[in-house]
Amino acid sequence: MATNDTPAASPTSNGEIPATCVAPKGFRFATTGAGFRKSGRDDLALVVSDTPAVAAAVFTKNLFQAAPVLVARDILARAPKARAVLINSGQANACTGDEGLTNCRATLELVAAATGLLPQDILPASTGVIGAQLAMDKWAAAVPDLAANLGRKDPEDFAKAIMTTDAFPKFASRTVELSGGTVTLVGMAKGAGMICPNMATMLATVLCDADVEPAAWQALFRDAVDATFNRVTVDGDTSTNDTVFGLANGASGVAARGADLAVLGAALTGVLGDVAYMLVKDGEGATKVIHINVAGARDDADAELAARTVGHSQLVKTAMYGRDANWGRIVAALGRSGATFNPAAVIVSLCGVELFRGGQPTNLDFDALLKEPLAGRDIVVNIMLGNGPGSYRLLASDLTHDYVSCNADYRS
Amino acid sequence: MATNDTPAASPTSNGEIPATCVAPKGFRFATTGAGFRKSGRDDLALVVSDTPAVAAAVFTKNLFQAAPVLVARDILARAPKARAVLINSGQANACTGDEGLTNCRATLELVAAATGLLPQDILPASTGVIGAQLAMDKWAAAVPDLAANLGRKDPEDFAKAIMTTDAFPKFASRTVELSGGTVTLVGMAKGAGMICPNMATMLATVLCDADVEPAAWQALFRDAVDATFNRVTVDGDTSTNDTVFGLANGASGVAARGADLAVLGAALTGVLGDVAYMLVKDGEGATKVIHINVAGARDDADAELAARTVGHSQLVKTAMYGRDANWGRIVAALGRSGATFNPAAVIVSLCGVELFRGGQPTNLDFDALLKEPLAGRDIVVNIMLGNGPGSYRLLASDLTHDYVSCNADYRS
């Protein structure tokens, strides 16, 4: 049931940098500063699996797909295997036409030549300014150093190198006991809103050392992404570059088959849930993570419609920023969502306090009851529509002065 | 065609208070201060037609419909005639259950008794805090003064009395020559976002002294509302109270029949277009009116989908606030809109400068070209999807620091 007061995600890290982060076996990390970004910090990241890994991916549904999205889809359509993931920040290589595709393929050639991989072994992703062509001279200058430090970096370095406007690096790991032994997963993500001021994208890569069949891995991966990345929203925008990669290389020597798959899937969902939570926490200027739980909908699709309308409502998001128990905005968003229900059957509660039932306010002294809960970071909105078994959970950020500042500033 | 650079609405007043405002014949106005709002200004408004007027109305599609919406729908379902419109600000009478309905009907009884009308002659509308019951003692105390000053007020007074967070009163008028003589229309509206901090609603009333048949008036009215009020957005929210009333009382003695109906309809659309433009201009904290013109869509519905996705995009709205020619955000919003098109066929221009064509930036020096245009109030975004004859126009406000301040403040 989605109507308890437990946050939808159960982050182990609560968005803070984990004290410890374990890496799965058989992966080596490299990062370097290519100068794509002005800050001078690392902005190019590579992870290489010692052996071909089973690969899964989910890409943006935006009709304008960035060059690296098109190239990565093409690579995976030929074979669901990969050796490496290559990510640059600072330039999105989106809306760049044929030249962008040629440039993307050229970066894979450069990295392949420097590392002994084949270009088609490497999955690319990019994030940064839309519409600018890649700075190929900077790529050519940076790749030797990238290749040289392969194995000298870790997942935290990788997560830092792919940041754009992120306030903190996002990574999480899990070890999990399968019947044949221990396997490890690590996830790394970036994103803090779609674009700021012109920076695009949510990107994530999850690595695993379990030995798992391609079809099984891909199914676990799709379910995990659906339960996590597809249930967060900062501003409702979907970028041209959004990509999640999942690589499982089997380096642990531990097979995941049969009943172990559910155990592995839970850990995978846990890792992606952790980093997805961090994305919302770091939503541009965000001060809150709003956990929207809709239950009692006609079906799950209707529940999703209701949850997304509430989670995208500027009025709900500003009320949460203002610590205002303004249930009228939640109710009004439900009423325009397109979900089917009887208004008199709806129950809305905020942080465990029931505010609206039977078409009327409950007349509790909710301002007093909610003063302390609404000052916290995690705000739970429970909505019962009273029309069926459908449910959905969504994490949303609030809408703040800093969001406007971040997104209204001139590109510089 | 929707791809020229003319703003979608052609406001005569540009949102400023008109120098002159004419009133149609046979309507008398009254306002008073009932103390619903703290400011002490007038917050109760009445307009009475000397004779029964042909009535038309459009109400919110929100599933949670405020008591006055339910009562007004009920009255008009019995007969498409009315003598009066009664509007209070300060209390929305929304989400107030059976008590709210009883109270709404009681206010009609009070005003009917004081003015000699019948309760079913009066169309009610309310705007203000959701969830609070009407202060019936204040109504009882205020209605005698309201009735006493009937005929001593004008449309501007009416527009002022229905304001909540509005920065300025919204009204516009037209005189129009029909074959039988001159008729006059006046429109009055309020609204500046759905709710702020808990104030609801866009309300409008348009009055006309033409003699027009009910079915013809209602058809003109629906078309005019669809071309104006249904094509503006501040924050995408639809309130529980949104209402537009249209009364035509025939007091001019001039009949509108046959070819005159098109002339009257154009004037009606002009008046509603003027006040709808003012609503966007006064969008909470807004500094811009963004005119989004989509053409070349598969059909009009697809064009509307594209226009609304762009107009509701927080990222587009903040970019316009920041005077940033950030076409990538427009393109990204189109790509996720659900409209069907070939990305390579899309053309996007901003204030007449073509920024994106053939899947790539046009590489004009658009920052220089657009510096001055983007500093203006009216911003024109033209989008050609290249997939058919469909078109749509939408007016949207920008998203500003003041919007967040207005909506995040504690209710007080």
Side-chain angles (χ1 to χ4, degrees), chain A residues 2 8 226-232 292-297 299-308 381 383 389-395:
Chain A
D226 186 53
T228 56
F229 274 79
N230 285 345
R231 300 191 181 215
V232 298
I292 301 166
N293 305 319
V294 175
D299 51 34
D300 288 353
D302 240 29
E304 179 173 356
L305 204 55
R308 289 194 182 274
V381 178
I383 296 161
S391 69
Y392 198 80
R393 290 176 166 207
L394 181 73
L395 297 189

Side-chain angles (χ1 to χ4, degrees), chain B residues 34-394:
Chain B
F36 302 136
R37 289 172 51 80
K38 293 183 180 174
S39 60
R41 67 181 177 198
D42 283 1
D43 51 15
L44 189 55
L46 176 70
V47 57
V48 175
S49 170
D50 294 339
T51 56
V54 172
V58 171
F59 299 102
T60 181
K61 293 197 171 80
N62 199 299
L63 287 186
F64 292 95
Q65 305 222 325
V69 170
L70 296 172
V71 171
R73 292 170 74 103
D74 184 49
I75 289 171
L76 290 174
R78 291 161 197 265
K81 296 257 180 181
R83 287 287 304 279
V85 172
L86 174 68
I87 303 180
N88 73 283
S89 64
Q91 299 190 293
N93 198 4
C95 299
T96 48
D98 288 341
E99 186 180 346
L101 285 169
T102 302
N103 283 342
C104 178
R105 294 189 192 282
T107 66
L108 301 184
E109 298 274 357
L110 281 170
V111 173
T115 56
L117 299 170
L118 297 171
Q120 61 269 34
D121 290 334
I122 310 169
L123 300 173
S126 297
T127 175
V129 179
I130 287 181
Q133 297 294 347
L134 291 181
M136 295 308 295
D137 53 336
K138 292 183 179 172
W139 277 87
V143 164
D145 183 64
L146 185 73
N149 71 49
L150 194 60
R152 296 184 193 155
K153 304 284 184 166
D154 64 20
E156 181 172 350
D157 297 320
F158 188 99
K160 284 179 178 168
I162 65 176
M163 289 165 62
T164 53
T165 57
D166 303 63
F168 56 86
K170 296 162 188 73
F171 57 101
S173 64
R174 298 274 169 105
T175 56
V176 55
E177 295 301 321
L178 302 186
S179 50
T182 303
V183 300
T184 302
L185 301 100
V186 67
M188 301 151 294
K190 63 85 44 178
M194 182 195 119
I195 304 179
C196 172
N198 216 353
M199 302 294 169
T201 308
M202 293 193 188
L203 299 180
T205 299
V206 60
L207 309 170
C208 174
D209 57 15
D211 165 18
V212 55
E213 294 292 327
W217 175 247
Q218 285 157 6
L220 293 181
F221 182 79
R222 275 194 305 272
D223 288 350
V225 170
D226 185 53
T228 56
F229 275 80
N230 286 345
R231 299 189 182 216
V232 298
T233 176
V234 172
D235 49 23
D237 272 280
T238 307
S239 96
T240 51
N241 291 55
D242 288 344
T243 301
V244 188
F245 290 128
L247 268 57
N249 68 358
S252 66
V254 178
R257 304 281 188 281
D260 279 336
L261 286 173
V263 180
L264 183 62
L268 180 61
T269 302
V271 167
L272 288 180
D274 282 0
V275 293
Y277 176 91
M278 296 177 205
L279 290 172
V280 179
K281 183 186 172 193
D282 196 15
E284 289 164 346
T287 67
K288 306 286 180 194
V289 178
I290 311 169
H291 302 253
I292 301 166
N293 304 319
V294 175
R298 190 179 55 181
D299 51 33
D300 288 353
D302 240 29
E304 179 174 355
L305 204 55
R308 288 192 184 276
T309 307
V310 172
H312 290 159
S313 164
Q314 291 183 190
L315 291 164
V316 172
K317 290 159 97 77
T318 46
M320 295 301 102
Y321 172 48
R323 304 176 181 187
D324 181 3
N326 201 324
W327 59 268
R329 297 183 183 182
I330 297 169
V331 167
L334 290 174
R336 71 175 167 87
S337 67
T340 304
F341 57 84
N342 172 5
V346 171
I347 304 169
V348 175
S349 74
L350 196 56
C351 299
V353 177
E354 196 174 290
L355 301 175
F356 181 74
R357 175 191 278 266
Q360 305 187 57
T362 55
N363 290 325
L364 293 172
D365 184 6
F366 53 78
D367 282 329
L369 290 167
L370 286 170
K371 187 167 193 292
E372 194 177 312
L374 290 181
R377 172 172 293 277
D378 290 277
I379 307 295
V380 179
V381 178
N382 283 333
I383 296 161
M384 171 61 75
L385 294 181
N387 192 32
S391 69
Y392 199 80
R393 290 175 166 210
L394 182 73

